[in-house]
Amino acid sequence: MANSWRRERWDSLRLLTPNWQSRLPGYPYSGTNPDGFLTMPEVVEHISGFATTTSAPVRTHTTVTSVRRIDAGYQVVTDCGELRCRTVVLASGAANIARVPEVSRAVPERIECLTPFEYHNPDRLPSGGVLIVGASATGVQLAHEILKSGRPVTLCVGEHVRLPRTYRDRDVLWWMENSGVWNERYDEIDDLERARGLPSPQLVGTPERATLDLNVLREAGVEIVGRLAAIRDGCALFSGGLPNQFALADLKLGRLLDTFDDWARTSPRLEAGPPQRFEPTQAPQSPRLSLSLRGGEIRSIIWATGFRPDYRWLDISVVNRKGELRHDGGVVIGAPGMYAIGLPVLRRRKSSFILGAEDDARDIVGHLLRYLADGVAQAHSPGESW
């Protein structure tokens, strides 16, 4: 169980969500540290415990090689045999393959390139400087860890989501959940495509419940540069738009905190500290716009540029040019009886988090049961309010 958590995470990684949010249907966190953050072995144990408790008929060590449409539903081909079914739920997640930009092709061969799937700890990196491309949750965490190992770190920053670890004496994700932000439905969001493509927030789960943002990294000694725009003749070129990126992230943070405060005013029994505002992100006085990749200053690059799903085994035309599944709130468009779960903002803003599974699953299963009862493909018409 939990194979990707067991094999595809770096050694020190902890969940971004506090332990009390690590709840699955009928299976809440039961440990002694509700405000802590699960390590990867603890995540594996938690999910394996859920599997044991539910006794679901899960086939482990079974690889699906093909799913295709047949008259009565779907044919699922695996390396352990074939299954036929009327409905299929795709729960393979959205982080199967690391996104590595095309610009990576121009990196000189002497530099070792890794994705977060391949990175384990700083000791496995070559000695010398590290360029980290991407400043979402993964990028800022790796930058901090690698810097502490004694290696110089340069961090490329594009669009990002800034969040403090705590706000008004409570975890910021407590505010996200209780204020209703995380429960906003996909059909209530003005720009759904943009919401689904937002980078993960700059957060880290540590026993100290520490904030890890660009100000913290800069003060610690990480060099902050702009978005990696190109690599030409062995030289990395960075955009000059850092102040704008910082201002936009700070503006959005301020609006989010306003939302929390507005909700708090309607909750008179709430026990929380006074409203807070945080220091704006400080831009370097003269950020460098280029960096030679041939002079030995940089020995390795980590592409913390996000992830994407892998649907190569899905032999049905339900994926767009970007490799994204076409669906309406988890109902796959063009494939009656096929559903998805666990994708970003599938039905709510919390859909891709562990605690988001239950509400989404309840909705999806309700639609699936109506489909089986009706036997009518029209139940899948896009835009239907359900």
Side-chain angles (χ1 to χ4, degrees), residues 191-210:
D191 191 341
L192 181 59
E193 183 177 358
R194 176 170 174 76
R196 286 174 170 166
L198 282 176
S200 57
Q202 292 174 334
L203 285 175
V204 62
T206 65
E208 303 81 20
R209 300 171 73 195

Side-chain angles (χ1 to χ4, degrees), residues 219-235:
E219 291 174 3
V222 172
E223 181 178 5
I224 307 295
V225 297
R227 179 180 58 84
L228 178 61
I231 298 177
R232 295 176 185 163
D233 299 325
C235 187

Side-chain angles (χ1 to χ4, degrees), residues 176-224:
M176 293 287 283
E177 181 173 5
N178 287 276
S179 68
V181 171
W182 259 4
N183 285 314
E184 185 178 14
R185 287 172 49 92
Y186 76 108
D187 50 8
E188 299 171 338
I189 298 173
D190 292 335
D191 191 341
L192 181 59
E193 183 177 358
R194 176 170 174 76
R196 286 174 170 166
L198 282 176
S200 57
Q202 292 174 334
L203 285 175
V204 62
T206 65
E208 303 81 20
R209 300 171 73 195
T211 291
L212 182 61
D213 60 16
L214 297 177
N215 284 342
V216 172
L217 291 176
R218 180 181 54 81
E219 291 174 3
V222 172
E223 181 178 5
I224 307 295

Side-chain angles (χ1 to χ4, degrees), residues 67-363:
V67 175
R68 59 175 59 94
R69 184 84 172 138
I70 57 176
D71 291 340
Y74 296 92
Q75 177 192 49
V76 181
V77 180
T78 79
D79 58 358
C80 297
E82 178 185 310
L83 302 169
R84 291 173 180 259
C85 51
R86 284 193 60 192
T87 61
V88 175
V89 179
L90 308 178
S92 53
N96 309 122
I97 300 174
R99 292 184 184 273
V100 179
E102 288 294 320
V103 68
S104 64
R105 298 178 181 272
V107 174
E109 291 184 3
R110 62 173 296 276
I111 292 179
E112 182 172 342
C113 291
L114 301 93
T115 71
F117 287 145
E118 298 160 333
Y119 170 83
H120 294 282
N121 58 63
D123 292 341
R124 296 197 186 185
L125 294 175
S127 59
V130 181
L131 177 66
I132 298 177
V133 183
S136 297
T138 297
V140 296
Q141 289 181 55
L142 296 188
H144 193 240
E145 174 173 285
I146 294 169
L147 182 75
K148 290 192 297 183
S149 76
R151 290 170 172 78
V153 175
T154 303
L155 179 65
C156 299
V157 178
E159 182 180 12
H160 57 281
V161 177
R162 183 187 181 192
L163 284 184
R165 179 71 269 178
T166 58
Y167 180 65
R168 297 178 63 175
D169 300 332
R170 292 180 178 269
D171 194 279
V172 71
L173 298 186
W174 181 92
W175 290 93
M176 293 287 283
E177 181 173 5
N178 287 276
S179 68
V181 171
W182 259 4
N183 285 314
E184 185 178 14
R185 287 172 49 92
Y186 76 108
D187 50 8
E188 299 171 338
I189 298 173
D190 292 335
D191 191 341
L192 181 59
E193 183 177 358
R194 176 170 174 76
R196 286 174 170 166
L198 282 176
S200 57
Q202 292 174 334
L203 285 175
V204 62
T206 65
E208 303 81 20
R209 300 171 73 195
T211 291
L212 182 61
D213 60 16
L214 297 177
N215 284 342
V216 172
L217 291 176
R218 180 181 54 81
E219 291 174 3
V222 172
E223 181 178 5
I224 307 295
V225 297
R227 179 180 58 84
L228 178 61
I231 298 177
R232 295 176 185 163
D233 299 325
C235 187
L237 306 178
F238 309 116
S239 70
L242 271 180
N244 291 336
Q245 294 286 1
F246 292 171
L248 181 60
D250 291 345
L251 175 65
K252 291 181 177 179
L253 172 60
R255 289 175 176 173
L256 181 64
L257 300 183
D258 288 343
T259 298
F260 295 161
D261 294 339
D262 290 343
W263 171 78
R265 281 191 285 271
T266 67
S267 306
R269 297 184 180 179
L270 174 66
E271 295 182 4
Q276 298 171 267
R277 290 301 179 266
F278 299 91
E279 178 186 2
T281 307
Q282 300 298 313
Q285 290 187 352
S286 300
R288 74 163 91 194
L289 299 178
S290 64
L291 174 61
S292 174
L293 301 179
R294 296 190 186 278
E297 182 177 352
I298 297 298
R299 298 291 305 280
S300 57
I301 296 177
I302 298 178
W303 301 102
T305 42
F307 306 91
R308 63 182 176 86
D310 181 7
Y311 294 121
R312 287 174 293 184
W313 45 269
L314 192 54
D315 295 327
I316 305 171
S317 298
V318 292
V319 177
N320 64 22
R321 294 180 181 178
K322 296 180 180 180
E324 301 164 341
L325 195 69
R326 294 193 297 268
H327 68 92
D328 176 34
V331 180
V332 178
I333 298 172
M338 180 172 286
Y339 299 85
I341 195 167
L343 301 179
V345 198
L346 183 91
R347 296 193 58 76
R348 296 164 179 84
R349 287 194 181 271
K350 65 181 179 182
S351 290
S352 57
F353 292 84
I354 291 177
L355 80 161
E358 184 169 6
D359 289 343
D360 280 6
R362 186 179 296 110
D363 291 349

